[in-house]
Amino acid sequence: MDPAGGCPHAANARLLARGAVAPVVLPGEVEAMAVIGHDALKEFLSHPDVAKGAAHFTALQEGQIPDGWPLKTFATVQGMTTADGDNHRRLRSLVSKAFTSRRVEALRGRVEEVTAELLDNLPAAAAKASASEADVAGANVVGANVVDLREHFAMPLPMGVICELLGVDAEFHDQLHHLSNQIVATDIAPEDAMAANRDIVAVLSTVAASRTANPGDDLTSALIAAREEDGDRLSGQELIGTLLLMIIAGHETTLNLITNAVRALCGHRDQLELVQSGKASWSDVVDETLRWDSPVSFFPFRYPTRDLTVDGTVIPQGTPVLAGYSAAGRDKAAHGESADVFDLTRYATGSTTRHLSLGHGAHFCLGSSLARMEATIALERLFTRFPDLDVAVTEAELPRHASFVGNSVQQLPVSLG
């Protein structure tokens, strides 16, 4: 796996041509496997002999994984993503109350309000960028109405919503976004990885202490109350781990989803015309983006609890396995010969294969409804306000994420038209 990340799709296509399961080497020469075919991934994600807990990670338990390994947090953080069985159900039940259909729908007005505020501010942000002659995305694209949409729209919307849900004060938003980026980076130096983990734990501990002293109508306060009611329900480490998970998953994935959708629509103006004319829905845009350019490329980790054969390939017990969402989304065996084409019309008949980009099985994304709502509102309002919006540089000029976990670009300069 290339620690520098980059666009995954060409490499994915080469891997898929060889099979649905691929041996890969992670940073530090750690041997692993990636499940990349749609059907194989669907089977693997819900297999009863596949675990999430790091106790099943053989190399880690044998002391072969050093501190500062860039993917170690994914294995060792205490929370839903590393829990199995009753423990997973316990943690998930504590958090799931914040993501019921009723609670998510109650957030709609706030999402619309934040979206409107951010859209109102875009012209001023573009004017400020032009006045400062900023160099955006490594290319001189400064001119009338050019703004980094990722920084000024796609990031603050989901970050603001998830932090409001958790009761995290605005003063921490930028710092948490920066630290989240470092934690999901796969090319980060060991000392920087350890520092990022220390710093984010310190910030989240401050948040937890604040909510303990001044509880409110937020998820962090509710989790603290649950812990105090029954001390063995949520430990201090589980609280911090859950907050870390919620911050990263609650904004990074939606940020990438919105960014990737805007790139896809601007690069396929015929598809944008379909949705603007009502011949396709904004929900279709969200689903096709999730399939065609998944916001998460390869998610760590799962571990077979015995030697497991998946699509004819043996995955040895205790092997760390990546879930290859970006590859599965373009698997022609599942999505047809047009799998690598961004096409909203595939949803018209309702017969298209369902993508796996939000997961499958017991660990299906808990915040999927909120992410969908945020992205749908954001995209509809953005292109209604700025119907001629377009990316201001070529796709090749957009700097990619330095990660093979997240799948997007670091900046998105657009002309507002």
Side-chain angles (χ1 to χ4, degrees), residues 149-222:
L149 194 73
R150 187 173 173 90
E151 176 184 357
H152 294 284
F153 182 68
M155 188 278 283
L157 173 58
M159 177 59 92
V161 172
I162 195 63
C163 284
E164 188 168 320
L165 188 65
L166 291 172
V168 176
D169 295 334
E171 65 184 281
F172 297 118
H173 291 193
D174 288 344
Q175 185 180 9
L176 286 172
H177 173 62
H178 170 70
L179 293 171
S180 295
N181 272 336
Q182 291 189 300
I183 287 172
V184 301
T186 48
D187 69 342
I188 191 169
E191 60 273 18
D192 294 331
M194 290 188 288
N197 277 277
R198 285 195 303 268
D199 290 348
I200 201 166
V201 167
V203 173
L204 295 176
S205 297
T206 299
V207 171
S210 175
R211 296 282 71 81
T212 299
N214 300 288
D217 184 23
D218 56 77
L219 180 57
T220 302
S221 297

Side-chain angles (χ1 to χ4, degrees), residues 150-342:
R150 187 173 173 90
E151 176 184 357
H152 294 284
F153 182 68
M155 188 278 283
L157 173 58
M159 177 59 92
V161 172
I162 195 63
C163 284
E164 188 168 320
L165 188 65
L166 291 172
V168 176
D169 295 334
E171 65 184 281
F172 297 118
H173 291 193
D174 288 344
Q175 185 180 9
L176 286 172
H177 173 62
H178 170 70
L179 293 171
S180 295
N181 272 336
Q182 291 189 300
I183 287 172
V184 301
T186 48
D187 69 342
I188 191 169
E191 60 273 18
D192 294 331
M194 290 188 288
N197 277 277
R198 285 195 303 268
D199 290 348
I200 201 166
V201 167
V203 173
L204 295 176
S205 297
T206 299
V207 171
S210 175
R211 296 282 71 81
T212 299
N214 300 288
D217 184 23
D218 56 77
L219 180 57
T220 302
S221 297
L223 292 173
I224 292 169
R227 183 182 64 184
E228 291 176 347
E229 289 166 8
D230 186 352
D232 66 356
R233 291 191 69 198
L234 191 69
S235 71
Q237 285 186 317
E238 287 174 336
L239 174 63
I240 298 302
T242 297
L243 295 180
L244 187 152
L245 161 68
M246 299 287 286
I247 289 291
I248 295 178
H251 95 277
E252 284 280 351
T253 51
T254 308
L255 161 59
N256 288 351
L257 172 57
I258 294 170
T259 301
N260 293 357
V262 172
R263 289 166 51 224
L265 290 171
C266 290
H268 301 80
R269 307 301 294 196
D270 59 328
Q271 300 299 302
L272 178 58
E273 169 59 27
L274 285 178
V275 72
Q276 288 178 324
S277 65
K279 295 177 182 176
S281 71
W282 290 104
S283 179
D284 293 339
V285 173
V286 170
D287 269 313
E288 183 66 345
T289 303
L290 285 166
R291 180 199 70 81
W292 186 74
D293 205 12
S294 172
V296 175
S297 193
F298 290 90
F299 192 79
F301 289 115
R302 284 172 168 82
Y303 320 93
T305 58
R306 61 173 177 83
D307 289 358
L308 193 66
T309 301
V310 178
D311 197 55
T313 298
V314 176
I315 306 177
Q317 177 181 343
T319 301
V321 181
L322 303 173
Y325 294 118
S326 63
R330 297 198 186 189
D331 182 3
K332 293 182 179 181
H335 301 288
E337 287 301 312
S338 66
D340 57 356
V341 177
F342 183 78

